[in-house]
Amino acid sequence: MKRSKECPKCHGKDIIADAKVIDLGHGNLEKELTVATFSKPEAMFFRGKATSKVSAWVCRTCGFTEFYADSPGMLGGE
């Protein structure tokens, strides 16, 4: 949806771009949703955590939503 500007479900073209995804934490504090990867997931400490905030692209016609990492290059890789 981000590249095509079209909903893959209903083919609608009225897309809300880069909507922030809000999570409610302790005490109902708002926090932007993030995604995390770990370069050493088996480690107990110093797991090499990398994070990126997440944005949503939403079809106004049917509500279908796709999530995208704002900084995918920061998530690392193997």
Side-chain angles (χ1 to χ4, degrees):
M1 207 160 31
K2 187 173 183 176
R3 289 189 181 135
S4 69
K5 308 293 190 261
E6 178 179 289
C7 176
K9 298 292 181 185
C10 75
H11 304 288
K13 296 196 184 296
D14 190 5
I15 306 297
I16 301 167
D18 287 323
K20 288 298 170 195
V21 184
I22 304 297
D23 187 21
L24 294 178
H26 182 70
N28 284 336
L29 293 175
E30 290 187 2
K31 182 178 172 184
E32 286 189 49
L33 194 65
T34 60
V35 62
T37 59
F38 300 91
S39 60
K40 298 177 186 174
E42 70 286 348
M44 187 173 289
F45 301 105
F46 307 111
R47 296 173 64 192
K49 182 178 178 181
T51 63
S52 173
K53 290 181 181 176
V54 174
S55 293
W57 289 58
V58 183
C59 175
R60 285 188 198 262
T61 304
C62 73
F64 180 76
T65 304
E66 288 183 345
F67 296 104
Y68 292 91
D70 291 347
S71 304
M74 299 297 291
L75 295 174
E78 309 231 349

Coordinates of all heavy atoms in Angstrom, one line a residue:
M1 N 0.8 -1.2 0.0 CA 0.0 0.0 0.0 C 0.9 1.3 0.0 O 0.5 2.2 -0.6 CB -0.9 0.0 1.2 CG -2.1 0.7 1.1 SD -3.5 0.3 2.2 CE -2.9 -0.2 3.7
K2 N 2.0 1.2 0.7 CA 2.9 2.3 0.8 C 3.4 2.7 -0.6 O 3.5 3.9 -0.9 CB 4.0 2.0 1.7 CG 4.9 3.2 2.0 CD 5.9 2.8 3.1 CE 6.8 4.0 3.5 NZ 7.7 3.7 4.6
R3 N 3.8 1.7 -1.4 CA 4.4 2.0 -2.7 C 3.3 2.2 -3.8 O 3.4 3.1 -4.6 CB 5.3 0.9 -3.1 CG 6.6 0.9 -2.3 CD 7.6 0.0 -2.9 NE 8.8 0.0 -2.0 CZ 9.4 -1.0 -1.6 NH1 9.0 -2.3 -1.9 NH2 10.5 -0.9 -0.8
S4 N 2.3 1.3 -3.7 CA 1.3 1.3 -4.8 C 0.2 2.4 -4.6 O -0.5 2.8 -5.5 CB 0.6 0.0 -4.9 OG -0.2 -0.2 -3.7
K5 N 0.1 2.9 -3.4 CA -1.0 3.9 -3.0 C -2.4 3.3 -3.3 O -3.3 4.1 -3.6 CB -0.8 5.2 -3.8 CG 0.6 5.8 -3.7 CD 0.9 6.3 -2.3 CE 2.1 7.2 -2.2 NZ 3.3 6.5 -1.8
E6 N -2.5 2.0 -3.2 CA -3.7 1.3 -3.4 C -3.9 0.2 -2.4 O -2.9 -0.5 -2.1 CB -3.8 0.8 -4.9 CG -5.1 0.0 -5.2 CD -5.1 -0.5 -6.6 OE1 -5.2 0.3 -7.5 OE2 -5.0 -1.8 -6.7
C7 N -5.1 0.0 -1.9 CA -5.4 -1.0 -0.9 C -5.3 -2.4 -1.6 O -6.0 -2.6 -2.7 CB -6.7 -0.8 -0.3 SG -7.2 -2.1 0.8
P8 N -4.6 -3.3 -1.1 CA -4.5 -4.7 -1.7 C -5.8 -5.5 -1.5 O -6.0 -6.5 -2.2 CB -3.3 -5.3 -1.0 CG -3.2 -4.7 0.3 CD -3.7 -3.2 0.1
K9 N -6.6 -5.1 -0.6 CA -7.9 -5.8 -0.3 C -9.0 -5.4 -1.2 O -9.7 -6.2 -1.8 CB -8.2 -5.7 1.2 CG -7.2 -6.3 2.1 CD -7.1 -7.8 2.0 CE -6.1 -8.3 2.9 NZ -5.9 -9.7 2.8
C10 N -9.3 -4.0 -1.2 CA -10.5 -3.5 -1.9 C -10.1 -2.7 -3.1 O -11.0 -2.2 -3.8 CB -11.4 -2.7 -0.9 SG -10.7 -1.1 -0.5
H11 N -8.8 -2.4 -3.3 CA -8.3 -1.6 -4.4 C -8.7 -0.1 -4.3 O -8.7 0.6 -5.2 CB -8.7 -2.2 -5.7 CG -8.3 -3.6 -5.9 ND1 -6.9 -3.9 -6.1 CD2 -9.0 -4.8 -5.9 CE1 -6.8 -5.3 -6.2 NE2 -8.0 -5.8 -6.0
G12 N -9.1 0.3 -3.1 CA -9.4 1.7 -2.8 C -8.1 2.5 -2.9 O -7.0 2.0 -2.7
K13 N -8.3 3.8 -3.3 CA -7.1 4.7 -3.5 C -7.1 5.8 -2.4 O -6.2 6.6 -2.5 CB -7.1 5.2 -4.9 CG -6.9 4.1 -5.9 CD -6.6 4.7 -7.2 CE -6.5 3.6 -8.3 NZ -5.5 2.6 -8.1
D14 N -8.0 5.8 -1.5 CA -8.1 6.8 -0.4 C -7.3 6.3 0.8 O -7.9 5.6 1.6 CB -9.5 7.2 -0.1 CG -9.6 8.4 0.8 OD1 -8.5 9.0 1.1 OD2 -10.7 8.7 1.2
I15 N -6.0 6.5 0.8 CA -5.1 5.9 1.8 C -4.6 7.0 2.8 O -4.2 8.1 2.4 CB -3.9 5.3 1.1 CG1 -4.3 4.3 0.0 CG2 -3.0 4.7 2.1 CD1 -5.1 3.1 0.5
I16 N -4.7 6.7 4.1 CA -4.1 7.5 5.1 C -2.7 7.1 5.3 O -2.4 6.0 5.6 CB -4.8 7.4 6.4 CG1 -6.3 7.8 6.3 CG2 -4.2 8.3 7.5 CD1 -7.2 7.3 7.5
A17 N -1.7 8.0 5.0 CA -0.3 7.7 5.0 C 0.3 8.1 6.4 O 0.0 9.1 6.9 CB 0.4 8.3 3.9
D18 N 1.3 7.2 6.8 CA 2.1 7.5 8.0 C 1.3 7.9 9.3 O 1.7 8.8 10.0 CB 3.1 8.7 7.7 CG 4.2 8.2 6.7 OD1 4.6 7.1 6.9 OD2 4.6 9.0 5.9
A19 N 0.2 7.2 9.5 CA -0.5 7.4 10.8 C 0.3 6.8 11.9 O 0.9 5.7 11.7 CB -1.9 6.7 10.7
K20 N 0.4 7.5 13.0 CA 1.2 7.0 14.1 C 0.4 6.0 14.9 O -0.8 6.2 15.1 CB 1.6 8.1 15.1 CG 2.7 9.0 14.5 CD 3.9 8.2 14.2 CE 5.0 8.9 13.4 NZ 6.0 8.0 12.9
V21 N 1.0 4.9 15.3 CA 0.4 3.8 16.1 C 0.7 4.1 17.5 O 1.8 4.0 17.9 CB 0.9 2.4 15.6 CG1 0.1 1.3 16.3 CG2 0.7 2.3 14.1
I22 N -0.4 4.3 18.3 CA -0.2 4.6 19.7 C -0.6 3.5 20.6 O -1.6 2.8 20.4 CB -1.1 5.9 20.1 CG1 -0.8 7.1 19.2 CG2 -0.9 6.2 21.6 CD1 0.6 7.6 19.4
D23 N 0.3 3.1 21.5 CA 0.0 2.1 22.5 C -0.2 2.8 23.9 O 0.4 3.8 24.2 CB 1.2 1.1 22.6 CG 0.9 -0.1 23.4 OD1 -0.2 -0.4 23.7 OD2 1.9 -0.7 23.9
L24 N -1.0 2.2 24.7 CA -1.2 2.8 26.0 C -0.5 1.9 27.0 O -0.6 0.7 27.1 CB -2.7 2.8 26.4 CG -3.6 3.7 25.6 CD1 -5.0 3.6 26.0 CD2 -3.1 5.2 25.7
G25 N 0.4 2.6 27.8 CA 1.2 1.9 28.7 C 0.7 2.0 30.1 O -0.5 2.4 30.3
H26 N 1.5 1.8 31.1 CA 1.1 1.9 32.5 C 0.6 3.3 32.8 O 1.1 4.3 32.4 CB 2.4 1.7 33.4 CG 2.1 1.7 34.8 ND1 1.4 0.8 35.5 CD2 2.4 2.7 35.8 CE1 1.3 1.1 36.8 NE2 1.9 2.2 37.0
G27 N -0.6 3.4 33.5 CA -1.2 4.7 33.8 C -1.8 5.3 32.5 O -2.0 6.5 32.5
N28 N -2.1 4.5 31.5 CA -2.6 5.0 30.2 C -1.8 6.1 29.6 O -2.3 7.0 28.8 CB -4.1 5.6 30.4 CG -5.1 4.4 30.5 OD1 -4.8 3.3 30.1 ND2 -6.2 4.7 31.2
L29 N -0.5 6.0 29.8 CA 0.4 6.9 29.1 C 0.6 6.5 27.6 O 0.8 5.3 27.4 CB 1.8 6.9 29.8 CG 1.9 7.5 31.2 CD1 3.2 7.4 31.8 CD2 1.5 9.0 31.1
E30 N 0.5 7.4 26.7 CA 0.6 7.1 25.3 C 2.0 7.0 24.9 O 2.9 7.7 25.4 CB 0.0 8.2 24.5 CG -1.5 8.3 24.6 CD -2.1 9.3 23.6 OE1 -1.4 9.9 22.8 OE2 -3.4 9.4 23.6
K31 N 2.3 6.0 24.1 CA 3.7 5.7 23.6 C 3.6 5.2 22.2 O 2.7 4.4 21.9 CB 4.2 4.6 24.5 CG 5.6 4.2 24.2 CD 6.2 3.2 25.2 CE 7.5 2.6 24.8 NZ 8.0 1.6 25.6
E32 N 4.4 5.6 21.3 CA 4.4 5.2 20.0 C 4.9 3.7 19.9 O 5.8 3.3 20.6 CB 5.3 6.1 19.1 CG 4.8 7.4 18.8 CD 5.6 8.2 17.8 OE1 5.9 7.6 16.7 OE2 5.9 9.3 18.0
L33 N 4.2 3.0 19.1 CA 4.5 1.5 18.9 C 5.9 1.4 18.3 O 6.2 2.1 17.3 CB 3.5 0.9 18.1 CG 3.4 -0.7 18.1 CD1 3.1 -1.2 19.5 CD2 2.4 -1.2 17.1
T34 N 6.7 0.4 18.7 CA 8.0 0.2 18.1 C 8.1 -1.3 17.8 O 7.4 -2.2 18.3 CB 9.2 0.6 19.1 OG1 9.0 -0.2 20.3 CG2 9.1 2.0 19.4
V35 N 9.0 -1.6 16.9 CA 9.4 -3.0 16.6 C 10.9 -3.2 17.0 O 11.7 -2.2 16.9 CB 9.2 -3.3 15.1 CG1 10.0 -2.4 14.2 CG2 9.4 -4.8 14.8
A36 N 11.3 -4.4 17.4 CA 12.6 -4.6 17.9 C 13.2 -5.8 17.3 O 12.5 -6.8 17.0 CB 12.7 -4.7 19.4
T37 N 14.5 -5.8 17.0 CA 15.3 -7.0 16.6 C 16.4 -7.2 17.6 O 16.8 -6.2 18.2 CB 15.8 -6.9 15.2 OG1 16.6 -5.8 15.1 CG2 14.6 -6.8 14.2
F38 N 17.0 -8.4 17.6 CA 18.1 -8.6 18.5 C 19.2 -9.4 17.8 O 18.9 -10.4 17.1 CB 17.7 -9.5 19.7 CG 16.6 -8.8 20.5 CD1 15.3 -9.0 20.3 CD2 16.9 -8.0 21.6 CE1 14.3 -8.4 21.0 CE2 16.0 -7.3 22.3 CZ 14.6 -7.5 22.1
S39 N 20.4 -8.8 17.8 CA 21.5 -9.5 17.1 C 22.0 -10.8 17.8 O 22.5 -11.7 17.2 CB 22.7 -8.5 16.9 OG 23.2 -8.1 18.2
K40 N 21.8 -10.8 19.1 CA 22.1 -12.0 19.9 C 20.9 -12.4 20.8 O 20.9 -12.3 22.0 CB 23.3 -11.7 20.8 CG 24.6 -11.4 20.0 CD 25.7 -11.0 20.9 CE 26.9 -10.5 20.2 NZ 28.0 -10.1 21.0
P41 N 19.8 -12.9 20.2 CA 18.6 -13.2 20.9 C 18.8 -14.3 22.0 O 18.0 -14.3 23.0 CB 17.6 -13.7 19.9 CG 18.5 -14.1 18.7 CD 19.7 -13.3 18.8
E42 N 19.8 -15.1 21.9 CA 20.0 -16.2 22.9 C 20.7 -15.7 24.2 O 20.7 -16.3 25.2 CB 20.8 -17.3 22.3 CG 22.2 -17.0 22.0 CD 22.5 -16.1 20.8 OE1 21.6 -15.9 20.0 OE2 23.7 -15.7 20.6
A43 N 21.3 -14.5 24.1 CA 22.1 -13.9 25.2 C 21.1 -13.5 26.3 O 20.0 -13.0 26.1 CB 22.9 -12.8 24.8
M44 N 21.6 -13.6 27.6 CA 20.8 -13.1 28.7 C 20.9 -11.6 28.9 O 20.0 -10.9 29.2 CB 21.2 -13.9 30.0 CG 20.3 -13.5 31.2 SD 20.7 -14.5 32.6 CE 20.1 -16.1 32.1
F45 N 22.1 -11.1 28.6 CA 22.4 -9.7 28.7 C 23.0 -9.2 27.4 O 23.6 -10.0 26.7 CB 23.4 -9.4 29.9 CG 22.8 -9.8 31.2 CD1 23.3 -11.0 31.8 CD2 21.8 -9.1 31.8 CE1 22.8 -11.4 33.1 CE2 21.3 -9.5 33.1 CZ 21.8 -10.6 33.7
F46 N 23.0 -8.0 27.1 CA 23.6 -7.4 25.9 C 23.2 -8.1 24.7 O 24.0 -8.6 23.9 CB 25.2 -7.4 26.1 CG 25.6 -6.7 27.4 CD1 26.2 -7.4 28.4 CD2 25.4 -5.3 27.5 CE1 26.6 -6.8 29.6 CE2 25.8 -4.7 28.7 CZ 26.4 -5.5 29.7
R47 N 21.9 -8.1 24.5 CA 21.3 -8.9 23.3 C 21.5 -8.2 22.0 O 21.1 -8.7 21.0 CB 19.9 -9.2 23.6 CG 19.7 -10.1 24.9 CD 18.3 -10.3 25.3 NE 17.6 -11.0 24.2 CZ 16.3 -11.1 24.2 NH1 15.5 -10.6 25.1 NH2 15.7 -11.7 23.2
G48 N 21.9 -6.9 22.0 CA 22.1 -6.2 20.8 C 20.7 -5.7 20.2 O 20.4 -5.9 19.1
K49 N 19.9 -5.1 21.1 CA 18.6 -4.6 20.7 C 18.7 -3.4 19.7 O 19.4 -2.5 20.0 CB 17.8 -4.3 21.9 CG 16.4 -3.9 21.7 CD 15.7 -3.6 23.0 CE 14.3 -3.1 22.8 NZ 13.7 -2.8 24.1
A50 N 17.9 -3.5 18.7 CA 17.7 -2.4 17.7 C 16.2 -2.2 17.6 O 15.5 -3.1 17.4 CB 18.4 -2.7 16.4
T51 N 15.8 -0.9 17.6 CA 14.4 -0.6 17.5 C 14.1 0.4 16.4 O 15.0 1.2 16.0 CB 13.8 -0.1 18.8 OG1 14.5 1.2 19.1 CG2 14.0 -1.1 19.9
S52 N 12.8 0.5 16.0 CA 12.3 1.5 15.1 C 10.9 1.7 15.4 O 10.1 0.8 15.8 CB 12.4 1.0 13.6 OG 11.7 1.9 12.8
K53 N 10.5 3.0 15.4 CA 9.1 3.3 15.6 C 8.3 2.8 14.4 O 8.9 2.5 13.3 CB 8.9 4.8 15.7 CG 9.4 5.4 17.0 CD 9.2 6.8 17.1 CE 9.8 7.3 18.4 NZ 9.7 8.8 18.6
V54 N 7.0 2.6 14.5 CA 6.1 2.0 13.5 C 5.1 3.0 13.1 O 4.5 3.7 13.9 CB 5.5 0.7 14.0 CG1 4.5 0.2 13.0 CG2 6.5 -0.3 14.3
S55 N 4.8 3.1 11.8 CA 3.7 3.9 11.2 C 2.8 3.0 10.5 O 3.1 1.9 10.1 CB 4.3 5.0 10.2 OG 5.1 5.9 10.9
A56 N 1.5 3.5 10.4 CA 0.5 2.7 9.7 C 0.0 3.4 8.4 O 0.0 4.6 8.4 CB -0.7 2.4 10.6
W57 N -0.4 2.6 7.5 CA -1.0 3.1 6.2 C -2.4 2.4 6.3 O -2.5 1.2 6.3 CB -0.2 2.7 5.0 CG 1.0 3.5 4.9 CD1 2.0 3.6 5.8 CD2 1.4 4.4 3.9 NE1 3.0 4.5 5.4 CE2 2.7 5.0 4.2 CE3 0.8 4.8 2.7 CZ2 3.3 5.9 3.4 CZ3 1.5 5.7 1.9 CH2 2.7 6.2 2.2
V58 N -3.4 3.2 6.2 CA -4.8 2.7 6.4 C -5.7 3.1 5.2 O -5.7 4.2 4.8 CB -5.4 3.4 7.7 CG1 -6.8 2.8 8.0 CG2 -4.5 3.2 8.9
C59 N -6.4 2.1 4.8 CA -7.4 2.3 3.7 C -8.7 2.9 4.3 O -9.3 2.3 5.2 CB -7.8 1.0 3.0 SG -9.1 1.2 1.8
R60 N -9.1 4.1 3.8 CA -10.3 4.7 4.3 C -11.6 4.0 3.9 O -12.6 4.1 4.5 CB -10.4 6.2 3.9 CG -9.5 7.1 4.5 CD -9.8 8.6 4.1 NE -8.7 9.5 4.4 CZ -8.7 10.3 5.4 NH1 -9.6 10.2 6.3 NH2 -7.7 11.1 5.6
T61 N -11.5 3.2 2.9 CA -12.7 2.5 2.3 C -13.0 1.3 3.2 O -14.1 1.1 3.6 CB -12.4 2.1 0.9 OG1 -12.1 3.3 0.1 CG2 -13.7 1.5 0.3
C62 N -12.0 0.4 3.4 CA -12.3 -0.8 4.1 C -11.6 -1.0 5.5 O -11.9 -1.9 6.2 CB -12.0 -2.0 3.2 SG -10.2 -2.3 3.0
G63 N -10.7 -0.1 5.8 CA -10.0 -0.1 7.0 C -8.8 -1.0 7.1 O -8.1 -1.1 8.1
F64 N -8.5 -1.7 6.0 CA -7.3 -2.5 6.0 C -6.0 -1.7 6.4 O -5.9 -0.5 5.9 CB -7.1 -3.2 4.6 CG -5.8 -4.0 4.5 CD1 -5.8 -5.3 5.1 CD2 -4.7 -3.6 3.9 CE1 -4.7 -6.1 5.1 CE2 -3.6 -4.4 3.9 CZ -3.6 -5.7 4.4
T65 N -5.2 -2.2 7.2 CA -4.0 -1.5 7.7 C -2.7 -2.3 7.5 O -2.7 -3.5 7.8 CB -4.2 -1.2 9.2 OG1 -5.5 -0.5 9.4 CG2 -3.1 -0.3 9.8
E66 N -1.7 -1.6 7.1 CA -0.4 -2.1 7.0 C 0.6 -1.3 7.9 O 0.5 -0.1 7.9 CB 0.2 -2.1 5.6 CG -0.5 -3.1 4.6 CD 0.1 -3.1 3.2 OE1 0.9 -2.2 2.9 OE2 -0.2 -4.0 2.5
F67 N 1.5 -2.0 8.6 CA 2.5 -1.3 9.4 C 3.8 -1.3 8.8 O 4.2 -2.3 8.1 CB 2.6 -2.1 10.8 CG 1.3 -2.0 11.6 CD1 0.5 -3.1 11.7 CD2 0.9 -0.9 12.2 CE1 -0.7 -3.1 12.4 CE2 -0.2 -0.8 13.0 CZ -1.0 -2.0 13.1
Y68 N 4.6 -0.2 8.9 CA 5.9 -0.1 8.4 C 6.8 0.4 9.4 O 6.5 1.4 10.1 CB 5.9 0.8 7.2 CG 5.2 0.3 6.0 CD1 3.8 0.5 5.8 CD2 5.8 -0.5 5.0 CE1 3.1 0.0 4.7 CE2 5.1 -1.0 3.9 CZ 3.8 -0.8 3.8 OH 3.1 -1.3 2.7
A69 N 8.1 -0.1 9.5 CA 9.1 0.4 10.4 C 9.5 1.8 9.8 O 9.8 1.9 8.6 CB 10.3 -0.5 10.5
D70 N 9.6 2.8 10.6 CA 10.0 4.1 10.1 C 11.5 4.1 9.7 O 11.9 4.9 8.8 CB 9.8 5.2 11.2 CG 8.3 5.4 11.5 OD1 7.5 5.0 10.7 OD2 8.0 6.1 12.5
S71 N 12.3 3.3 10.4 CA 13.8 3.3 10.2 C 14.2 1.8 10.0 O 14.9 1.3 10.9 CB 14.5 4.0 11.3 OG 14.1 5.3 11.5
P72 N 13.8 1.2 8.9 CA 14.1 -0.3 8.8 C 15.6 -0.5 8.8 O 16.1 -1.6 9.2 CB 13.5 -0.7 7.5 CG 13.3 0.6 6.7 CD 13.1 1.7 7.8
G73 N 16.4 0.4 8.3 CA 17.9 0.2 8.2 C 18.5 0.1 9.6 O 19.6 -0.4 9.8
M74 N 17.8 0.7 10.6 CA 18.4 0.7 12.0 C 18.1 -0.7 12.7 O 18.7 -0.9 13.7 CB 17.7 1.7 12.8 CG 17.9 3.1 12.3 SD 19.6 3.6 12.3 CE 19.9 3.8 14.1
L75 N 17.3 -1.6 12.1 CA 17.0 -2.8 12.7 C 18.1 -3.9 12.5 O 18.0 -5.0 13.1 CB 15.7 -3.4 12.2 CG 14.4 -2.5 12.5 CD1 13.2 -3.0 11.8 CD2 14.3 -2.5 14.0
G76 N 19.1 -3.6 11.7 CA 20.2 -4.6 11.6 C 19.8 -5.7 10.7 O 18.8 -5.7 10.0
G77 N 20.6 -6.7 10.7 CA 20.4 -7.9 9.8 C 21.6 -8.8 9.9 O 22.5 -8.5 10.6
E78 N 21.4 -9.9 9.3 CA 22.5 -10.9 9.4 C 23.3 -11.0 8.1 O 22.9 -10.6 7.1 CB 21.9 -12.3 9.7 CG 20.9 -12.2 10.9 CD 21.2 -13.2 12.0 OE1 21.9 -14.1 11.7 OE2 20.6 -13.0 13.0

